[in-house]
Amino acid sequence: MAILSIKKLSKNYGAIRALNQVSFDVPPKTVFGILGPNGSGKTTLLGIVMDILKATEGTYEWNGESSSPAIRKKIGTLLETPNFYHYLSAVENLRIAARIKEADEDDIPRILEIVNLYQRKDSKFSTYSLGMKQRLAIASTLLGDPDILVFDEPTNGLDPAGIAEIRELIKELNRKGKTIIMASHILDEVEKVCTHVAIIQKGILKAVGSVREVMNTGGEAGATEAALLVELGAADLTQLRTVLDKMPGIESIADAEKGLLVVCPESLGTAAINKWCFENGVVLDKLEIKRKSLESRFLEITGSKSDK
Amino acid sequence: MIHLLKIEWLKVRRYTAFIVLAFCFVIGVFLINYIVYSVNKNIVSNVGPAGLISFSPYSFSNTWQTTSYATGFILLLPSLLLLMLMTNEYAFKTHRQNIIDGLSRGEFIGVKIMIALIFAVVSTLLVFITALCFGLASGTSFSMSGIVFVGYFFLKALTYNMVALLISVLIKRTGFAIGVFFIYLGGENFVAKMLDLWSIKIKRDNGTDLGGMGDYLPMNAADGLLTFPRNTISDMSKSFMPADYTWLILGLAFAYLLLFYWWTTKKFKTADL
């Protein structure tokens, strides 16, 4: 059973459609990344499933049940910015969260140790740096040892060492069997941490699946056939492009550093490309299968280099 | 609810504005009544022989009404505090975090309404104790007659708190909400005075007594129940003043309270946070 099942979720802000019929399932024990440019609807989506925003249409379920306060108590959530009482200390803020979640307050010192805030546990929240506030927010999500964690841009405001620590913490939590749902616009972060990903652009789900599936399949969400990314080289690149343009099955052709980058269905195969080029008068001097990065795939899907 | 109130206590116990305003209110209740007592004592001692204002506002049973009326002037303090507590939640976005962490929207706004009620109860208790002390100090014999005015005070305190809570839920930003609260208060009082004058004119011209129509407005309904005890001056003006339809005003005050309760909870339960 999916940990979170979202069905045709839409959200309008007046005339603006922030989410449009988004549907996907989050499998258990995964690190599920929700990826998209700024303003794509990631936070809106998480806000709806955490009950602070009202959906215009659609439904969602946690572990097959409609959302309720009891379910939210068992989910550790950091949404957008760290939200705490500025005039209270870290311990006092966590005590409030623990009381709401009905979590063990004696666990607070241990959790503050995990996020390296124990030394400043009695300092007021207002005196914290941005990174410390973020760490406290992450500490808050760990209260009650929840099986599901929801992070919205968890490494916001952290220095490189802090980012590495949080990444390691997320991986460690996942190794312990926790399901982590993480929204981010930092592609590298998602690729390094996530096992699954959903790509959203302008409120529309563009792709969803395991990171491997999303990187290898072509087209829109739901596509199943793996895609092949091949770098080709020849003495005359203009002629090579003309020949490839006419080849059935080639999905896209882009300039590479010393050749052309071609995307085609995996079933087409490199042998067929080589044969087609030879039969059309082009001798390839380079034919290399490239490993796709999530970044290249993301740009391919969203068709934009902005906001990455 | 006790569990939720304990959480609220964790939120406010180190909040400086809470400590300062609560202290000011407790001191203020005594102080404003002492001022009224002193002014009245001096007036009585100076013009008393002329028989103009020859009554003791803090003797039993006047003390209940006088203390309730006088304390009504500083009821803004607890309602302002409540407004700040609620708008702080919006400013820090902790209202969202509390919901995310597992409170229901109903629980969140329910406990704030409970605090409005507790503030009103505590204010009323302070009024009761102050009235009792001043009454006993006056040397007159104890009487519960007029205790109904302490009840009216409670209604007024609750109305002020519920208006403050409603404005904070609607406006969300502290400074702006405080501004709107004061503007509404001033605006409603101005309109009420105009309506009162109109009532007097209607009574004089047509002989129709519609009561003080200013008292039919939301905050003035609770205000209108609390007047200064009858004295020579008020008796002199009674002939041309509209009648006090106490039961009507009381009913209106309760109706407005229900309206504020419904509006506040509906807004919080249905809005995007």
Side-chain angles (χ1 to χ4, degrees), chain A residues 1-7 25-26 28 59-68 71 75 148:
Chain A
M1 183 192 291
I3 289 288
L4 172 64
S5 181
I6 293 172
K7 292 186 180 75
D25 288 344
V26 176
T59 58
Y60 59 94
E61 288 180 341
W62 290 98
N63 286 320
E65 289 178 39
S66 297
S67 181
S68 68
I71 285 173
I75 302 171
I148 308 166

Side-chain angles (χ1 to χ4, degrees), chain B residues 29 32-33 36-37 40 55-59 61-73 127 130-131 134 146 149-150 153 226-230:
Chain B
V29 172
I32 197 161
N33 282 287
V36 173
Y37 170 78
N40 185 73
F55 88 112
S56 173
Y58 286 99
S59 63
S61 59
N62 281 339
T63 185
W64 306 116
Q65 187 174 356
T66 309
T67 311
S68 301
Y69 174 77
T71 310
F73 287 101
V127 163
T130 309
F134 274 85
F149 287 100
V150 179
F153 174 86
L226 277 181
T227 52
F228 198 68
R230 281 182 60 185

Side-chain angles (χ1 to χ4, degrees), chain A residues 279-293:
Chain A
E279 285 172 356
N280 286 278
V282 177
V283 178
L284 296 174
D285 56 25
K286 184 178 186 184
L287 194 157
E288 184 185 345
I289 297 173
K290 304 288 283 186
R291 181 189 163 272
K292 274 190 183 181
S293 70

Side-chain angles (χ1 to χ4, degrees), chain A residues 78-246:
Chain A
L78 158 59
L79 206 57
E80 262 186 312
T81 50
N83 304 322
F84 293 103
Y85 299 93
H86 291 202
Y87 51 88
L88 296 180
S89 69
V91 169
E92 288 163 338
N93 270 301
L94 290 186
R95 195 168 288 148
I96 289 171
R99 291 263 175 104
I100 293 172
K101 286 175 164 291
E102 294 169 26
D104 185 3
E105 289 177 43
D106 295 339
D107 207 22
I108 290 173
R110 184 188 68 82
I111 288 170
L112 284 171
E113 288 275 16
I114 292 174
V115 296
N116 290 329
L117 275 182
Y118 187 76
Q119 300 300 321
R120 294 286 305 273
K121 67 183 167 58
D122 295 319
S123 302
K124 281 185 181 176
F125 179 73
S126 56
T127 65
Y128 278 14
S129 69
L130 186 60
M132 291 165 78
K133 288 175 179 174
Q134 193 72 2
R135 285 167 188 273
L136 184 61
I138 290 168
S140 176
T141 65
L142 302 177
L143 286 166
D145 195 22
D147 288 331
I148 308 166
L149 292 115
V150 177
F151 295 126
D152 186 7
E153 309 284 4
T155 55
N156 254 0
L158 296 179
D159 54 28
I163 291 172
E165 279 173 35
I166 296 305
R167 273 183 193 154
E168 198 44 52
L169 175 67
I170 290 172
K171 286 179 183 173
E172 176 62 25
L173 290 166
N174 184 235
R175 279 195 287 272
K176 287 180 179 171
K178 317 266 184 211
T179 305
I180 293 146
I181 300 169
M182 186 177 108
S184 180
H185 67 283
I186 303 169
L187 299 152
D188 181 50
E189 180 174 285
V190 172
E191 191 170 1
K192 282 182 177 158
V193 173
C194 295
T195 58
H196 291 66
V197 66
I199 296 178
I200 298 177
Q201 186 190 27
K202 292 178 182 171
I204 297 167
L205 183 70
K206 293 284 189 176
V208 65
S210 69
V211 172
R212 182 183 290 234
E213 280 168 358
V214 169
M215 287 210 289
N216 289 326
T217 56
E220 296 172 353
T224 51
E225 191 177 358
L228 198 62
L229 186 70
V230 188
E231 189 175 346
L232 302 174
D236 187 344
L237 290 178
T238 312
Q239 190 191 359
L240 174 61
R241 183 184 282 274
T242 310
V243 167
L244 289 170
D245 267 339
K246 293 173 185 164

Side-chain angles (χ1 to χ4, degrees), chain B residues 14 89 101 212:
Chain B
R14 298 212 193 283
E89 301 273 10
D101 285 342

Side-chain angles (χ1 to χ4, degrees), chain B residues 28-201:
Chain B
V29 172
F30 173 79
L31 210 60
I32 197 161
N33 282 287
Y34 185 73
I35 290 168
V36 173
Y37 170 78
S38 299
V39 168
N40 185 73
K41 191 181 169 191
N42 291 332
I43 289 173
V44 170
S45 62
N46 290 332
V47 298
L52 189 62
I53 309 171
S54 56
F55 88 112
S56 173
Y58 286 99
S59 63
F60 285 109
S61 59
N62 281 339
T63 185
W64 306 116
Q65 187 174 356
T66 309
T67 311
S68 301
Y69 174 77
T71 310
F73 287 101
I74 56 166
L75 260 182
L76 279 176
L77 291 177
S79 50
L80 272 180
L81 177 58
L82 190 69
L83 186 146
M84 287 163 71
L85 290 176
M86 187 64 195
T87 51
N88 269 350
E89 301 273 10
Y90 286 108
F92 303 150
K93 293 186 177 176
T94 40
H95 66 304
R96 296 170 57 140
Q97 194 62 44
N98 284 183
I99 304 297
I100 286 168
D101 285 342
L103 285 190
S104 71
R105 289 174 183 234
E107 282 174 330
F108 185 91
I109 197 65
V111 76
K112 297 295 182 199
I113 290 169
M114 185 54 79
I115 291 173
L117 188 67
I118 289 170
F119 278 12
V121 169
V122 171
S123 308
T124 308
L125 273 174
L126 273 171
V127 163
F128 180 84
I129 293 165
T130 309
L132 190 66
C133 292
F134 274 85
L136 292 173
S138 73
T140 52
S141 54
F142 178 79
S143 164
M144 289 291 273
S145 170
I147 194 80
V148 69
F149 287 100
V150 179
Y152 294 160
F153 174 86
F154 169 75
L155 203 57
K156 179 172 174 170
L158 191 56
T159 302
Y160 272 54
N161 293 345
M162 287 303 291
V163 170
L165 197 58
L166 174 63
I167 287 175
S168 56
V169 167
L170 293 175
I171 307 289
K172 298 176 185 176
R173 289 162 63 184
T174 310
F176 197 29
I178 290 174
V180 168
F181 186 54
F182 277 112
I183 287 168
Y184 178 74
L185 207 64
E188 197 194 287
N189 265 323
F190 177 77
V191 174
K193 294 290 174 256
M194 294 295 109
L195 286 171
D196 283 343
L197 288 174
W198 193 28
S199 306
I200 294 168
K201 189 174 180 297

